[in-house]
Amino acid sequence: MQSRRQHAAAILSVMALLFFVCIIPAGLIACVSQRRLPLAVSGGSTTTVSSGRQSPLPEAVLLPEWQVLVLLRQPNNATTAAPGPGNGTCVFRDGVSSPARSLGWLPASGRHAYTCIIPEPVRLHYHHDAPAPLLVLASSRVITADDGALPAMLKWSDRIVYESAVIDGGDVLVFAKGVNTRKKVNRAAQDIRCLYYHGDAAGNAVASLPATTSAQQVFRCPPPPPETTTTPAELRVTLVVAGEEEPIPSLATYDPTRHHAQMAPGKKKKRLICACTMIRDMAKFLREWVVYHAAVGVDRFYVYDNGSEDDLADQTRRLTSAGFDISTRTWPWPKTQEAALSHGAAVHGDACEWMVFIDADEFIFSPHWARSENPAKQMLRSVVASVKQDVGQVSLWCADFGPSGRTAHPEEGVTQGYTCRRKTMERRKSFVRLTAVDRSLVNSIHTFTLKPGFQAGWNTRVRVNHYKYQAWEEFKVKFHRRAPTYTADWTEKVELGSNDRTPGLGFEPVEPTGWPQKFCDVNDTLLRDVTRRWFGVGFGNNFDRPQIAGTNPGS
């Protein structure tokens, strides 16, 4: 109720502001034709600017399902995350508005991300070139600009450069969609150039350098020469494809000062095993997933948040307060799971020796642990400790669990609530030695291509329990917005033979007959019994660390 009152108050403030700006004595000129318009409300006093290049103008991209992602630059070229702004309001043409939800800070660009939905009355305008919406936050500072400075909204359905990262050695990773559009078919790196430029016009180029790798949505670029970085140090970075005159529209930036500021506090001690995942609205799984895997050998957790609307921030805060090493990164880009995992493999090489890439509904387990009275860090460490130095990846088979008769999410958690699975082991998930990952960062969600000289291995004593086919309401939400780049949309009648297709599932979000009893070939209660013994029923419903064999509880 309070959020509704705040939203209503914000709308009234905006409408009053628009009325003040738009009304002139003749009363004949529409609001959109005025020379000065409000762009954002974010502080305590009124500021006027005359050029988009000088002001923190919001940028926006139109995502699927009429969702708009709005990026607002932090004030004064801040290089570290400021206290997170709250939610606000997006104001579109004719004063139509919708709530704007804060997603978080994007470290590479120094922007804060918000999302809102385009209301139906103005959707027709957004099939064409349309300006970004006005972003109004819950305060009174008004930033204005000439209407000619209003940035046009980019479209996710088009080519777009959306993210960047500076990695060890100074190389710049550029993330772009629409360049490599087919699975396992990539443009040659020599056909791609990396363009660095000032401001919002690619004509202000300071360097054009050949890309060194091109794979999926990830492109490796050399950094620009030092003499091209002036004050302010931030440059735009984009790609130019051979034979095409226009560079790809870009939201990505390159700022070495921001990168160095983020690294300034000092590097964390390098750990043996880390876990990396991307989630959306899966906070209810996180405590169980982290507590369990920390007990059996994962030292550090990296979570890419793909636009969650649940209590992920609170869950993460509570886990951190309990002593777990977990960090989240805002990653709002839809259907980019491969790119997110490539990012994770590239930027965390100095913090982790091995990284396991699994989802938050996947739990690594060995039937050989069934008689253990307590969990032990050595359980997972033994998977990687015994391999030779030329082994760069260790793969595990997956056991897919079904609804197990459930019609709602089990309060005791997935490992104790789902106990019936398919007989056939499918797919694979992997531990990856980060120094062995190929420079292209090519991956198939959970497995990576390795550098020459490294080989992949298997461990058949350990498996992944994948709680894939859950109670229908949970399963339906999971498949509403598929995360990987190339997987089929289950509502479209394409790629009917894909492994991503669920057996027996049609093309509509309608529960198949007998869903609670499906995918049940083997009654498997091993992990349920183990976690009850180690953590109690429902993991004790707390965030405490369990007693771990061979270590101190706080280690």
Side-chain angles (χ1 to χ4, degrees):
M1 182 65 71
Q2 182 179 3
S3 63
R4 290 181 179 177
R5 287 197 297 266
Q6 291 174 342
H7 177 54
I11 293 176
L12 290 174
S13 300
V14 176
M15 298 308 294
L17 180 59
L18 290 174
F19 179 83
F20 175 79
V21 170
C22 299
I23 296 300
I24 61 173
L28 298 176
I29 300 178
C31 179
V32 294
S33 69
Q34 299 307 302
R35 293 302 298 165
R36 315 198 74 78
L37 292 175
L39 261 291
V41 179
S42 58
S45 61
T46 300
T47 302
T48 300
V49 295
S50 60
S51 168
R53 195 171 298 166
Q54 296 173 326
S55 66
L57 300 183
E59 303 168 85
V61 56
L62 178 60
L63 302 179
E65 300 179 340
W66 298 106
Q67 184 181 11
V68 177
L69 180 69
V70 184
L71 306 180
L72 185 64
R73 183 182 304 177
Q74 293 200 138
N76 302 322
N77 296 317
T79 55
T80 58
N87 297 332
T89 303
C90 285
V91 181
F92 298 88
R93 289 181 172 179
D94 302 321
V96 178
S97 66
S98 66
R101 181 169 59 88
S102 173
L103 296 180
W105 182 63
L106 303 179
S109 67
R111 271 66 168 170
H112 199 93
Y114 300 82
T115 183
C116 54
I117 300 295
I118 298 179
E120 289 189 11
V122 294
R123 289 180 181 179
L124 180 62
H125 298 295
Y126 289 87
H127 287 296
H128 311 288
D129 291 336
L134 314 182
L135 180 61
V136 181
L137 305 182
S139 53
S140 59
R141 181 184 175 198
V142 180
I143 302 172
T144 67
D146 293 342
D147 60 347
L150 291 169
M153 188 183 307
L154 302 179
K155 295 180 178 62
W156 190 253
S157 57
D158 298 336
R159 280 182 173 181
I160 185 173
V161 172
Y162 58 89
E163 187 64 271
S164 64
V166 180
I167 58 177
D168 285 348
D171 280 355
V172 180
L173 297 183
V174 176
F175 297 80
K177 66 174 293 290
V179 180
N180 297 321
T181 57
R182 296 174 58 193
K183 191 173 184 178
K184 298 183 180 180
V185 178
N186 299 304
R187 287 181 180 269
Q190 56 263 34
D191 291 339
I192 308 291
R193 295 193 70 81
C194 309
L195 187 69
Y196 297 90
Y197 58 96
H198 284 294
D200 55 4
N204 300 322
V206 299
S208 177
L209 306 169
T212 56
T213 66
S214 165
Q216 296 173 322
Q217 294 186 358
V218 186
F219 304 82
R220 185 184 294 260
C221 299
E227 60 270 18
T228 63
T229 56
T230 57
T231 302
E234 180 179 285
L235 298 172
R236 286 283 184 186
V237 59
T238 190
L239 304 176
V240 182
V241 179
E244 300 179 7
E245 295 183 0
E246 294 295 326
I248 298 173
S250 176
L251 296 168
T253 63
Y254 169 78
D255 187 341
T257 61
R258 182 179 295 117
H259 171 71
H260 294 320
Q262 294 168 18
M263 301 299 291
K267 296 182 179 180
K268 290 185 176 182
K269 179 181 178 181
K270 194 167 188 177
R271 297 297 187 181
L272 179 62
I273 300 176
C274 301
C276 183
T277 192
M278 189 170 84
I279 65 176
R280 178 181 170 90
D281 297 333
M282 296 182 70
K284 64 166 67 86
F285 302 104
L286 194 62
R287 180 181 65 88
E288 180 181 3
W289 187 75
V290 169
V291 170
Y292 172 83
H293 283 104
V296 296
V298 174
D299 302 301
R300 186 170 289 152
F301 300 85
Y302 295 99
V303 176
Y304 285 71
D305 179 12
N306 196 220
S308 298
E309 299 184 49
D310 55 14
D311 62 342
L312 176 62
D314 181 61
Q315 291 283 330
T316 303
R317 178 187 58 78
R318 294 174 68 184
L319 285 164
T320 301
S321 297
F324 297 95
D325 192 343
I326 177 172
S327 60
T328 60
R329 174 181 287 264
T330 302
W331 189 269
W333 322 109
K335 289 182 69 69
T336 57
Q337 187 174 10
E338 290 98 337
L341 300 188
S342 291
H343 185 283
V347 303
H348 299 305
D350 61 341
C352 311
E353 183 174 345
W354 291 85
M355 186 83 83
V356 57
F357 295 90
I358 55 175
D359 297 331
D361 59 357
E362 297 175 336
F363 292 74
I364 304 173
F365 173 68
S366 172
H368 297 279
W369 305 343
R371 296 180 181 273
S372 300
E373 290 300 317
N374 294 296
K377 290 281 190 179
Q378 188 59 27
M379 288 175 168
L380 287 188
R381 291 175 180 174
S382 65
V383 175
V384 299
S386 60
V387 302
K388 297 179 180 179
Q389 287 299 310
D390 66 344
V391 174
Q393 189 161 250
V394 179
S395 294
L396 317 174
W397 287 112
C398 292
D400 292 340
F401 280 70
S404 307
R406 297 280 182 163
T407 57
H409 177 72
E411 293 184 2
E412 64 271 37
V414 296
T415 59
Q416 297 179 14
Y418 297 111
T419 57
C420 204
R421 63 173 174 85
R422 303 178 77 177
K423 182 178 181 179
T424 304
M425 297 283 184
E426 293 187 354
R427 306 231 174 177
R428 57 173 172 163
K429 304 297 167 75
S430 300
F431 289 83
V432 181
R433 192 193 300 268
L434 295 184
T435 56
V437 173
D438 188 76
R439 296 181 76 251
S440 67
L441 298 170
V442 169
N443 71 85
S444 179
I445 307 298
H446 304 287
T447 59
F448 279 79
T449 298
L450 303 178
K451 292 177 181 176
F454 286 94
Q455 60 177 320
W458 281 85
N459 188 309
T460 57
R461 291 175 59 87
V462 181
R463 72 187 190 201
V464 174
N465 279 14
H466 185 185
Y467 298 95
K468 182 176 182 178
Y469 307 112
Q470 299 186 20
W472 175 252
E473 290 303 312
E474 296 296 327
F475 182 85
K476 183 173 65 174
V477 171
K478 174 181 177 181
F479 275 75
H480 173 66
R481 182 183 182 187
R482 297 303 302 273
T485 304
Y486 300 106
T487 54
D489 182 342
W490 67 292
T491 63
E492 295 180 3
K493 297 181 180 180
V494 296
E495 300 186 43
L496 302 184
S498 170
N499 288 334
D500 294 300
R501 288 270 175 210
T502 299
L505 183 66
F507 305 102
E508 300 292 334
V510 177
E511 181 177 353
T513 302
W515 178 264
Q517 284 72 45
K518 286 185 177 294
F519 317 111
C520 183
D521 302 324
V522 178
N523 188 38
D524 186 340
T525 63
L526 287 177
L527 187 52
R528 182 200 67 183
D529 297 341
V530 164
T531 56
R532 282 180 175 179
R533 183 164 61 250
W534 291 352
F535 308 103
V537 175
F539 279 65
N541 294 314
N542 59 52
F543 286 79
D544 296 337
R545 284 177 171 272
Q547 180 65 45
I548 301 173
T551 68
N552 295 320
S555 65

